[in-house]
């Protein structure tokens, strides 16, 4: 089945009627359905599917082994996300394997399609959770205690989905098998539109992290409480939203976003007692992201004090800037006939794996330039081109 047909097959899974687009989150019903679908589809290609200790799915063409050539992406989404971010890399990998099989090719080294768990952090807040657990770059105890928006822990959700959370953590055996990891992904920006090219090779991922500001004030009645008597945590929260935009706009290439803000108890006629604000901040290097967050944190503490509130700041995740393997990049660029190289502002499992294996990325043109929203798109023709490029590259790298 082609990548386009495979995408069509899962088009109905995890649609979000409230937000639009898709909500497919770790261990929820839609994600479980996609795991079953992937296992079935990979099985039809004769691949052996196994789930590792951290919930990542591996489909092996041939016996698992060291120095394997691994390709894949993720099947989960952000809340209300698009159809391509993640699934495109998975369906392209399946398409590429089928193409190579039909051409009678037999890989000269172990080859696997890998599906990472909870890449978006859409349920438990930490992006690239599957690859962070696999590599040990998140502490397993910390991961098990992560909570979803309903207050349940990752450990509890794992048990309910039939996984053993005690086994979460760095997986030396699985990690040692990856010789090269190549992730194909829909482009999350306008680079390929501007260049007029369908496929690019990834060069770098900028430094990025997530921070949570928790403001505590005094919950009270919206009508009975005089303005002068309030300790409203929404006021410093609003200052953070505005400061993030203002401060990041002054730093070349930096991005700072508040995309999630939760007041409790959350009533129209209630002054909130607490407000949690999540800040996503990114810039080309650590030396830019850290001062950016420090400056926003300074605004937060001054604004909290002025309102008689208390603020706590927690770093939920951080990843420094990553340059993908230079030799692999050159090889991919040359092999794909001088495909352009593009940096990205989006985080990926390939960046988490970069210190442990030779990693690279391919991007497929997104004609809307929009991602993490239902408008995210790729033309059928470009999807086919991406899958073909991946097949050619896998053939080249495994001989
Ligand atoms: Zn993605």
């Amino acid at each position: 089945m082609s990548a386009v047909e495979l995408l069509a097959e899962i088009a109905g899974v995890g649609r979000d009627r409230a937000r639009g687009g898709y909500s497919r989150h770790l261990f929820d019903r839609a994600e479980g359905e996609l795991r079953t679908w992937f296992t079935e589809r990979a099985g039809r290609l004769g691949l052996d599917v196994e789930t590792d200790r951290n919930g990542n799915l591996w489909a092996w063409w041939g016996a698992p082994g060291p120095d394997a050539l691994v390709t894949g992406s993720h099947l989960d989404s952000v809340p209300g996300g698009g159809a391509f971010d993640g699934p495109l890399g998975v369906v392209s990998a399946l398409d590429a394997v089928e193409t190579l099989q039909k051409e009678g090719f037999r890989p000269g080294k172990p080859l696997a399609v890998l599906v990472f768990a909870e890449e978006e952090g859409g349920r438990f807040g930490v992006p690239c959770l599957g690859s962070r657990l696999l590599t040990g770059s998140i502490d397993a105890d910390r991961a098990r205690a992560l909570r979803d928006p309903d207050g349940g822990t990752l450990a509890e959700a794992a048990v309910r989905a039939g996984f053993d959370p005690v086994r979460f953590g760095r997986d030396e055996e699985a990690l040692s098998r990856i010789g090269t990891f190549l992730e194909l992904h829909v482009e999350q920006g306008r680079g390929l539109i501007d260049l007029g090219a369908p496929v690019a090779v990834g060069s770098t991922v900028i430094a990025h992290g997530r921070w949570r500001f928790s403001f505590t004030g005094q919950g009270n009645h919206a009508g009975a409480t005089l303005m002068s008597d309030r300790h409203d945590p929404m006021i410093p929260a609003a200052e953070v939203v505005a400061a993030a935009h203002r401060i990041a706009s002054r730093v070349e290439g930096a991005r700072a976003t508040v995309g999630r803000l939760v007041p409790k108890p959350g009533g129209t006629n209630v002054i909130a007692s607490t407000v949690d604000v999540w800040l996503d901040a990114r810039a080309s290097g650590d030396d830019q992201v850290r001062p950016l967050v420090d400056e926003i944190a300074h605004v937060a503490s001054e604004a909290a004090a002025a309102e008689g509130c208390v603020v706590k700041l927690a770093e939920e995740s951080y990843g420094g800037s990553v340059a993908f393997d230079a030799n692999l990049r050159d090889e991919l660029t040359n092999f794909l006939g001088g495909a352009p190289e593009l940096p990205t502002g989006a985080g990926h499992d390939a960046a988490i794996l970069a210190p442990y294996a030779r990693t690279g990325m391919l991007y497929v043109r997104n004609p809307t330039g929009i991602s993490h929203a239902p408008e995210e798109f790729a033309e059928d023709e470009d999807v086919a081109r991406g899958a073909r490029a991946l097949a050619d590259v896998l053939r080249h790298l495994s001989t």
Side-chain angles (χ1 to χ4, degrees):
M1 249 185 160
S2 72
V4 169
E5 290 166 332
L6 290 165
L7 277 176
E9 220 175 35
I10 57 171
V13 182
R15 282 198 183 272
D16 189 326
R17 289 183 206 293
R19 298 184 179 95
Y22 293 93
S23 289
R24 299 158 166 170
H25 299 139
L26 182 66
F27 299 145
D28 74 4
R29 195 169 145 188
E31 201 244 13
E33 237 178 276
L34 292 174
R35 283 174 183 270
T36 306
W37 166 82
F38 175 79
T39 303
E40 204 262 327
R41 275 290 156 209
R44 283 206 211 178
L45 297 175
L47 311 185
D48 294 319
V49 181
E50 55 180 43
T51 307
D52 70 19
R53 290 166 36 192
N54 296 300
N56 306 305
L57 284 164
W58 301 69
W60 288 94
W61 184 6
D67 195 32
L69 177 57
V70 183
T71 183
S73 192
H74 60 95
L75 290 171
D76 67 306
S77 74
V78 296
F84 297 86
D85 178 351
L88 184 63
V90 177
V91 299
S92 298
L94 292 173
D95 178 321
V97 166
E98 187 172 340
T99 298
L100 293 173
Q101 288 178 343
K102 281 184 181 157
E103 291 170 0
F105 179 76
R106 288 289 169 269
K109 56 170 77 177
L111 197 152
V113 179
L114 176 53
V115 179
F116 279 109
E118 179 85 337
E119 193 274 342
E120 300 289 5
R123 180 166 179 188
F124 292 98
V126 174
C128 301
L129 187 58
S131 55
R132 284 182 205 269
L133 279 166
L134 171 69
T135 56
S137 57
I138 183 170
D139 177 70
D141 283 333
R142 199 196 137 210
R144 281 187 279 265
L146 289 171
R147 288 184 186 277
D148 68 12
D150 295 328
T153 66
L154 172 62
E156 290 161 356
V159 169
R160 271 198 302 278
F163 291 86
D164 179 5
V166 175
R167 301 184 71 231
F168 285 172
R170 185 175 162 104
D171 187 339
E172 211 63 59
E173 195 193 342
L175 195 54
S176 68
R177 287 173 176 168
I178 307 173
T180 302
F181 178 68
L182 191 60
E183 181 169 0
L184 179 147
H185 206 280
V186 68
E187 199 208 343
Q188 296 169 289
R190 312 185 37 83
L192 284 170
I193 304 174
D194 296 343
L195 291 164
V199 177
V201 174
S203 56
T204 55
V205 174
I206 65 176
H208 59 284
R210 296 181 183 186
W211 289 264
R212 186 178 70 218
F213 292 86
S214 299
F215 295 97
T216 303
Q218 176 59 58
N220 213 330
H221 194 289
T225 317
L226 298 178
M227 300 310 284
S228 55
D229 289 344
R230 298 177 179 215
H231 305 290
D232 182 352
M234 190 60 85
I235 307 306
E239 294 278 353
V240 163
V241 175
H245 185 81
R246 184 177 66 243
I247 295 167
S249 300
R250 291 201 311 256
V251 181
E252 172 78 21
R255 302 108 205 239
T257 307
V258 173
R260 185 175 167 213
L261 182 150
V262 177
K264 281 186 186 151
T268 305
N269 57 351
V270 182
I271 297 166
S273 52
T274 66
V275 178
D276 282 343
V277 176
W278 281 264
L279 171 71
D280 176 309
R282 311 178 190 225
S284 56
D286 297 347
D287 51 344
Q288 286 184 314
V289 177
R290 298 289 179 187
L292 180 73
V293 175
D294 288 347
E295 207 177 324
I296 296 167
H298 181 72
V299 170
S301 59
E302 295 220 314
E307 185 64 20
C309 295
V310 174
V311 60
K312 276 201 284 187
L313 175 60
E315 181 176 299
E316 296 204 330
S317 69
Y318 186 76
S321 58
V322 167
F324 291 116
D325 185 271
N327 291 333
L328 180 59
R329 252 161 64 188
D330 288 348
E331 220 176 327
L332 294 173
T333 304
N334 292 332
F335 187 74
L336 295 176
E341 289 197 11
L342 282 181
T344 183
H348 295 289
D349 294 304
I352 302 294
L353 283 186
Y356 307 92
R358 203 163 77 121
T359 61
M361 289 194 72
L362 297 176
Y363 301 123
V364 172
R365 177 165 52 194
N366 171 358
T368 68
I370 293 171
S371 185
H372 283 186
E375 291 80 4
E376 179 183 278
F377 191 60
E379 300 285 359
D380 287 355
E381 208 183 11
D382 284 349
V383 172
R385 282 172 167 149
R388 181 69 244 185
L390 183 63
D392 292 343
V393 164
L394 292 176
R395 173 191 280 272
H396 170 69
L397 292 175
S398 68
T399 39

